[in-house]
Amino acid sequence: MNLKEVLMDYIPYNEQEEKDREQILKFLERGDLVYTRESKDVHMTASAWVTNRERSKILMAYHNIYDSWAWLGGHADGEKNLLLVAQKEAMEESGLRSVSPVTEDIFSIEILTVSGHIKNGSYVSSHLHLNITYLLEADEEANLHEKEDENSDVRWFLTKDGINASKEPWMQTWVYRKLAEKMKSYEY
């Protein structure tokens, strides 16, 4: 099933997801280009809300660009299997050797604004990330290490503490708290 069909069947959790789903579906009409960064103004990303087995902690990285603790994830870069993207990015950004989906279903959707910034010595204009989030699980005893070109620390937080560690009020309110609420319904 393609992403458009999956999103049509997806039941939004709240008004934010309902409105963002409408917009993501419209952007998907652009075709495969939206899965690449060649679509400069808007492109697909996948994020990982990584939790421990007990669902009491979340894994976050201190992202250099955002100067804040944040979830893990990244650009689709042409890959349409966004669960695979979320898993790959979570491992690359944390040093984990393994992350497993709690469910292969979409956990959350959001459109994220990205302010202009410098990446690899070049300016990247402000743009939108059409983001699909997956709920992943990892061993909190596994070794972690940062990905120096993207983050400067990676660590487990009690969920509330991780949310509060973020310096991004919009992400705290509209994304991280929502994910924490939704996570409660997934038994371990």
Side-chain angles (χ1 to χ4, degrees):
M1 195 179 309
N2 70 34
L3 181 58
K4 187 173 180 180
E5 292 169 351
V6 172
L7 286 173
M8 293 294 288
D9 292 339
Y10 180 79
I11 299 170
Y13 181 72
N14 58 17
E15 185 180 14
Q16 170 267 311
E17 287 196 356
E18 183 179 323
K19 303 266 186 194
D20 287 356
R21 180 180 72 162
E22 289 173 19
Q23 292 301 309
I24 292 170
L25 286 167
K26 287 179 185 174
F27 283 120
L28 286 172
E29 295 296 325
R30 293 185 178 188
D32 291 348
L33 188 65
V34 79
Y35 286 89
T36 73
R37 287 186 239 197
E38 291 176 38
S39 174
K40 302 271 187 222
D41 60 335
V42 58
H43 43 257
M44 296 302 304
T45 59
S47 291
W49 188 245
V50 182
T51 182
N52 63 346
R53 184 176 184 275
E54 293 77 22
R55 310 283 179 267
S56 61
K57 294 182 180 177
I58 54 173
L59 185 64
M60 298 185 87
Y62 196 87
H63 281 275
N64 299 333
I65 289 174
Y66 303 114
D67 190 27
S68 179
W69 287 99
W71 57 4
L72 307 171
H75 294 89
D77 287 334
E79 175 61 60
K80 290 185 179 178
N81 182 338
L82 298 177
L83 173 57
L84 181 68
V85 173
Q87 288 178 284
K88 177 178 94 46
E89 291 288 336
M91 290 186 291
E92 283 180 4
E93 292 182 5
S94 69
L96 288 169
R97 293 180 180 259
S98 175
V99 291
S100 303
V102 173
T103 174
E104 293 189 4
D105 294 335
I106 292 173
F107 186 55
S108 177
I109 59 173
E110 40 283 312
I111 296 178
L112 308 171
T113 57
V114 180
S115 296
H117 59 275
I118 302 294
K119 177 81 174 185
N120 299 324
S122 296
Y123 184 78
V124 177
S125 294
S126 298
H127 59 279
L128 297 176
H129 283 175
L130 308 177
N131 193 69
I132 307 296
T133 304
Y134 292 91
L135 180 61
L136 305 180
E137 178 180 297
D139 178 2
E140 70 178 292
E141 300 299 320
N143 289 330
L144 301 173
H145 64 78
E146 63 273 356
K147 186 173 187 274
E148 292 180 12
D149 65 329
E150 291 189 25
N151 62 59
S152 53
D153 199 0
V154 182
R155 74 171 74 142
W156 289 97
F157 289 89
L158 292 173
T159 303
K160 179 182 169 190
D161 294 340
I163 294 167
N164 290 335
S166 171
K167 295 180 188 176
E168 301 174 279
W170 189 89
M171 291 295 290
Q172 286 179 327
T173 301
W174 291 100
V175 180
Y176 300 149
R177 288 185 184 134
K178 171 185 70 170
L179 298 176
E181 287 173 17
K182 291 177 85 169
M183 185 173 68
K184 292 176 186 175
S185 67
Y186 287 84
E187 297 292 327
Y188 62 93

